[in-house]
């Protein structure tokens, strides 16, 4: 028999075998990406427990007009838009991406306490929603920058797909918990808020204990040139090849997007199911998102991220078209939910992968914040406009107008991204 003189050789061989099997069967992503995914998983359990009951609570219990709900939903979509820019500046300037993200996650956890004390006054609830969204605005850009720093450029789509899959698992679990609590104790919204607070604290713990800042990069700047960031340098990001097309296209597509809350209410009105099952609509969408996030991220890395991104909005367009066609029954509604989940899987992480491939390292968080600010402001405006159109002319008119606008922006956006070589190739722009 042959003997191994050094036991470390055996351990190394075993590690190579295990890692080889892991690479074969699982996406190869860093430990930091997984820990950030677990942070988002528990945070999304917390957030979606609240988000999924708000339309039900505001529209069916408090009987708010669609225009008023559009204001609150718009705040939920885009209230943190400008804060994203400041958070991105702070993270890039200090290189303390983790600490900035911790501040954002912590603020959202504190907002859960606010839900326990404001009662059912919708104006106060709107204020708490704004605080929660401010936390999201602070944490998003530094978190996504950490993901990009801990991933190889050619695997950005896969890395963001893994993160979004874990994130969406939380978005799927949260509504199930909310539904279960309200099914066992109808009207027990305080119980939902307490559980939401506990899960938010767990998510914050993963980030605080298991994620570290990357080593400081060495940005290529001219000798004597200051490396600090300002609004002037942020504006210069638009001059980086590939950034301006992403910002314009992403913002335009978001402006034509109907918020999930309005989509789900429209489906509920069409199918006429009991309102207590409303949170399960989020579960169905999140399940498809979770299942497809990694496969579509890998597909984007292989065939082109811009193609998958535009294809995702084409699937969303099919949902809008179906809402204009007279139908009843559960099957078309389930198909719409599946398409909606696929749309998120093809666009959410892929957009950040597109940004990570063209943004310079020393301004990665700022650039991502600029992009998400544009899309968030567009979603805020879209939600408010949709609520006003619904109140003024009815839901059919509002959906028809959104469908027409989305069709135009898909055609224009696809052409713009195709002409942008840096975006279509998915490669970092040369200086």
């Amino acid at each position: 028999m042959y003997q191994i003189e050094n036991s470390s050789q055996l351990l190394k061989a075993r590690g190579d075998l295990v890692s080889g099997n892991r690479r074969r069967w699982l996406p190869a992503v860093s430990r930091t990406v997984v820990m950030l995914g677990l942070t988002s998983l528990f945070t999304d359990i917390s957030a979606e427990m609240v988000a999924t009951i708000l339309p039900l609570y505001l529209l069916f219990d408090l009987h708010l007009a669609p225009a008023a709900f559009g204001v609150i939903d718009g705040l939920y979509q885009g209230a943190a838009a400008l804060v994203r820019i400041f958070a991105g500046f702070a993270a890039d300037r200090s290189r303390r991406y983790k600490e900035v993200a911790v501040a954002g996650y912590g603020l959202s956890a504190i907002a859960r306490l606010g839900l326990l004390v404001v009662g059912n006054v919708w104006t106060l609830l709107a204020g708490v929603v704004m605080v929660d969204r401010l936390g999201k605005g602070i944490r998003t850009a530094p978190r996504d920058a950490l993901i990009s720093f801990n991933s190889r450029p050619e695997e950005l789509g896969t890395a963001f797909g893994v993160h979004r899959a874990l994130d969406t698992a939380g978005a799927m679990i949260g509504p199930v918990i909310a539904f279960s609590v309200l099914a066992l104790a109808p009207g027990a919204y305080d119980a939902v808020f307490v559980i939401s607070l506990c899960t938010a604290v767990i998510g914050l713990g993963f980030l605080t204990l298991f994620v570290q800042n990357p080593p400081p990069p060495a940005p290529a700047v001219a000798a004597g040139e200051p490396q600090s960031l300002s609004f002037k340098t942020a504006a210069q990001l638009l001059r980086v090849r590939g950034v301006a097309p992403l910002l314009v296209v992403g913002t335009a597509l978001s402006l034509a997007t109907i918020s999930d809350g309005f989509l789900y209410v429209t489906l509920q009105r069409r199918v006429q199911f009991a309102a207590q099952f409303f949170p399960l609509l989020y579960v169905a969408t999140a399940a498809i998102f979770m299942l497809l996030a990694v496969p579509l991220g890998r597909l984007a890395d292989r065939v082109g991220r811009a193609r998958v991104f535009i294809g995702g909005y084409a699937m969303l367009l099919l949902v809008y078209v179906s809402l204009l066609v007279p139908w009843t029954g559960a099957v078309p509604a389930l198909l719409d939910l599946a398409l909606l989940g696929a749309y998120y899987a093809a666009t959410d992480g892929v957009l950040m992968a597109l940004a990570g491939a063209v943004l310079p390292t020393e301004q990665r968080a700022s650039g991502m914040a600029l992009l998400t600010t544009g899309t968030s402001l567009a979603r805020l405006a879209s939600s408010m406009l949709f609520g006003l159109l619904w109140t003024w002319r009815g839901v059919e008119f509002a959906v028809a107008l959104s469908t027409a606008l989305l069709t135009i922006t898909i055609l224009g956006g696809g052409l713009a991204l195709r002409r942008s070589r840096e975006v279509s190739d998915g490669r970092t722009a040369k200086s």
Side-chain angles (χ1 to χ4, degrees):
M1 295 178 65
Y2 294 98
Q3 295 181 349
I4 299 177
E5 297 181 358
N6 190 343
S7 61
S8 64
Q9 297 176 9
L10 179 60
L11 294 175
K12 181 179 184 298
R14 179 180 180 276
D16 291 342
L17 179 61
V18 173
S19 62
N21 289 335
R22 183 180 64 183
R23 285 192 295 269
R24 180 177 298 177
W25 299 107
L26 297 174
V29 297
S30 71
R31 175 179 176 273
T32 297
V33 173
V34 175
M35 291 299 106
L36 288 169
L38 291 174
T39 298
S40 294
L41 185 150
F42 283 97
T43 302
D44 251 36
I45 291 175
S46 171
E48 295 303 318
M49 287 179 65
V50 175
T52 54
I53 65 174
L54 276 181
L56 176 66
Y57 183 54
L58 296 175
L59 289 174
F60 293 95
D61 282 26
L62 298 186
H63 303 289
L64 287 187
F69 175 72
V71 172
I72 295 181
D73 191 67
L75 289 174
Y76 194 86
Q77 296 287 339
L82 297 179
V83 180
R84 296 178 192 269
I85 296 181
F86 290 104
F89 288 168
D92 280 332
R93 181 188 294 270
S94 65
R95 307 298 177 192
R96 294 290 184 179
Y97 299 92
K98 171 185 172 179
E99 286 76 6
V100 176
V102 166
Y105 282 103
L107 190 60
S108 292
I110 292 173
R112 301 294 179 265
L113 290 174
L115 291 172
L116 294 170
V117 298
V118 298
N120 58 2
V121 181
W122 78 268
T123 52
L124 296 180
L125 284 171
V128 173
V129 166
M130 178 174 289
V131 171
D132 176 55
R133 294 298 91 184
L134 289 176
K136 181 176 177 61
I138 291 171
R139 69 181 183 249
T140 301
R143 181 204 65 201
D144 286 345
L146 284 169
I147 294 172
S148 67
F149 289 144
N150 287 276
S151 307
R152 292 188 294 181
E154 66 273 17
E155 295 179 349
L156 281 171
T158 301
F160 277 101
V162 170
H163 174 269
R164 287 337 191 237
L166 289 169
D167 180 272
T168 309
M172 182 177 62
I173 296 171
V176 172
I177 296 176
F179 169 76
S180 302
V181 170
L182 294 180
L184 293 173
Y189 293 101
D190 285 351
V192 175
F193 298 152
V194 170
I195 299 173
S196 174
L197 172 62
C198 293
T199 53
V201 172
I202 294 174
L204 184 60
F206 272 102
L207 175 62
T208 305
L209 297 176
F210 301 114
V211 175
Q212 301 298 326
N213 281 308
V221 296
E225 183 179 345
Q227 299 183 17
S228 60
L229 296 173
S230 63
F231 283 105
K232 181 179 180 179
T233 57
Q236 291 173 350
L237 282 170
L238 296 177
R239 302 177 186 175
V240 176
R241 288 180 295 180
V243 173
L246 273 182
L247 178 62
V248 173
V249 172
T251 300
L253 288 169
S254 296
L255 186 61
T257 300
I258 304 172
S259 75
D260 288 354
F262 278 124
L263 276 178
Y264 295 151
V265 170
T266 304
L267 287 176
Q268 193 275 337
R269 288 161 58 94
R270 178 71 63 90
V271 182
Q272 292 294 320
F273 57 83
Q276 70 186 71
F277 295 103
F278 191 84
L280 297 183
L281 298 177
Y282 293 83
V283 176
T285 300
I288 300 300
F289 187 176
M290 181 184 66
L291 291 174
L292 295 182
V294 174
L296 289 179
R298 283 177 159 176
L299 181 65
D301 286 335
R302 294 176 182 176
V303 306
R305 294 163 192 157
R307 292 178 180 177
V308 173
F309 178 72
I310 293 297
Y313 274 95
M315 289 186 282
L316 182 64
L317 180 62
L318 293 177
V319 176
Y320 293 2
V321 171
S322 76
L323 295 178
L324 298 175
V325 178
W327 53 261
T328 57
V331 174
L334 291 175
L335 180 60
D336 282 345
L337 294 175
L339 287 171
L340 186 61
Y343 146 73
Y344 276 118
T347 58
D348 193 304
V350 174
L351 179 60
M352 290 299 100
L354 282 165
V358 299
L359 287 166
T361 301
E362 65 273 15
Q363 293 178 310
R364 186 71 52 82
S366 299
M368 288 180 170
L370 183 65
L371 179 59
T372 53
T373 294
T375 56
S376 296
L377 287 175
R379 286 181 180 273
L380 186 153
S382 174
S383 186
M384 292 183 175
L385 179 61
F386 190 90
L388 290 173
L389 289 173
W390 184 345
T391 303
W392 176 44
R393 295 289 300 273
V395 63
E396 291 80 9
F397 177 81
V399 172
L401 189 60
S402 297
T403 302
L405 182 59
L406 184 60
T407 302
I408 295 171
T409 51
I410 286 176
L411 294 175
L415 182 61
L417 294 184
R418 184 178 179 181
R419 289 182 175 178
S420 175
R421 181 175 178 272
E422 292 75 18
V423 175
S424 60
D425 291 347
R427 294 196 293 262
T428 304
K430 298 179 182 180
S431 57

